[in-house]
Amino acid sequence: DADVTQTPRNRITKTGKRIMLECSQTKGHDRMYWYRQDPGLGLRLIYYSFDVKDINKGEISDGYSVSRQAQAKFSLSLESAIPNQTALYFCATSAGPISYNEQFFGPGTRLTVL
Amino acid sequence: EDQVTQSPEALRLQEGESSSLNCSYTVSGLRGLFWYRQDPGKGPEFLFTLYSAGEEKEKERLKATLTKKESFLHITAPKPEDSATYLCAVGAQGGSEKLVFGKGTKLTVNP
C-alpha cells in the first residue's frame, strides 16, 4: 500500500464551488505539506502543518484553507474555486524540516475548475 | 531572491548515450540540494540529497554532484525507463521549511 494517499485523484468542478482534497499517510511523520504544480512552474507550497495544532501558511495560501484532523490526515479546501486554481495538487510528508530532509509525495490530485 | 534554474528544459537521448542535467542555484545559505524524479501522473520520488560542495552520490545509472553554484545529475548509459522529469530543489536559510523548486528537466530516452 502507498505511504501517502490522496483523494480524489481527479476532480472537475465549477467556479464558486467548495472543494476538499484529502491526504492520508502511514509514514508516521508529524510534518505534512500541500503543494500545487502548474505547467512551466516549479512546485509551490500552499500550507504546512507540524501537528494538529500547528498550521502554517506557505508561499501561496490565498484562496485556500487546511485542516489537520489527525497526525495522519491533512485536508486542503478551496472555499470558492476559481479557474486559476486549476492545477495538480500534491500532499507530502517529511520526518524533519524540508530545507534539509527528503519529502514523500502522494500521487496527486488533478483539479480542473471550469 | 532565492532562485533555482534547471537546464535544459527538455533532453532527448538515445539508449546508452550518457549526458548531464544542470541545476544552478542562488540561495542565501544552502541547507540541502535535492533531486527528485517525477513520472507522468505521479508524485515526485526522492533520489538524492547533497549538503556541501564537493559531495557526490550515486544510485544505479545516476550520479549527483554539487558545487557552490550548481549541481549536476549525470546519467550514464541511460535506458528508456529513465525517461521522466527530474526536479531539483534547494533548501535555504530563512526558515526550516524554505525550499525552492526548479521547473524540471524532461528527459526522454529512446530505445
Side-chain angles (χ1 to χ4, degrees):
Chain A
D1 289 339
D3 295 320
V4 183
T5 57
Q6 293 182 234
T7 57
R9 293 295 315 279
N10 289 282
R11 182 71 185 268
I12 299 174
T13 190
K14 295 182 179 180
T15 297
K17 293 292 187 181
R18 185 178 188 274
I19 296 295
M20 179 180 285
L21 309 183
E22 297 185 333
C23 175
S24 293
Q25 55 112 346
T26 58
K27 299 290 292 182
H29 293 160
D30 289 327
R31 296 169 182 254
M32 297 187 72
Y33 306 82
W34 276 104
Y35 288 91
R36 69 176 278 174
Q37 187 176 44
D38 298 274
L41 298 178
L43 282 159
R44 292 181 292 168
L45 184 62
I46 306 172
Y47 268 97
Y48 59 99
S49 169
F50 294 158
D51 63 40
V52 293
K53 297 180 181 179
D54 190 348
I55 304 291
N56 303 276
K57 292 183 177 181
E59 180 185 354
I60 52 164
S61 59
D62 288 348
Y64 302 94
S65 63
V66 291
S67 173
R68 186 78 182 269
Q69 299 95 327
Q71 188 213 32
K73 296 184 181 296
F74 192 34
S75 300
L76 176 72
S77 293
L78 288 67
E79 297 302 325
S80 179
I82 56 177
N84 76 359
Q85 291 177 313
T86 293
L88 197 51
Y89 290 85
F90 289 103
C91 175
T93 74
S94 181
I98 60 173
S99 56
Y100 53 90
N101 285 275
E102 68 184 273
Q103 293 177 88
F104 299 85
F105 287 85
T109 294
R110 185 171 296 281
L111 177 65
T112 302
V113 183
L114 302 176
Chain B
E1 181 183 350
D2 299 327
Q3 273 192 317
V4 176
T5 303
Q6 292 188 245
S7 62
E9 291 185 9
L11 180 63
R12 283 188 175 271
L13 299 173
Q14 288 299 123
E15 185 172 0
E17 179 186 4
S18 300
S19 188
S20 297
L21 312 182
N22 177 264
C23 172
S24 297
Y25 64 91
T26 306
V27 294
S28 53
L30 177 70
R31 286 194 158 190
L33 185 142
F34 302 85
W35 284 99
Y36 287 86
R37 170 191 170 127
Q38 185 174 20
D39 293 299
K42 295 187 177 182
E45 178 184 354
F46 172 76
L47 292 174
F48 304 107
T49 310
L50 302 168
Y51 294 106
S52 58
E55 190 174 0
E56 299 181 352
K57 288 190 177 176
E58 288 188 67
K59 180 180 180 180
E60 295 181 353
R61 296 178 291 282
L62 300 177
K63 179 180 178 180
T65 62
L66 181 64
T67 72
K68 289 185 178 180
K69 294 183 178 180
E70 59 191 348
S71 176
F72 291 94
L73 185 65
H74 306 278
I75 303 176
T76 302
K79 298 182 178 182
E81 53 262 43
D82 294 322
S83 297
T85 296
Y86 290 85
L87 304 176
C88 174
V90 176
Q93 292 179 358
S96 64
E97 310 310 295
K98 188 166 179 59
L99 186 70
V100 181
F101 278 87
K103 297 177 182 180
T105 293
K106 183 177 181 180
L107 174 66
T108 303
V109 182
N110 296 313

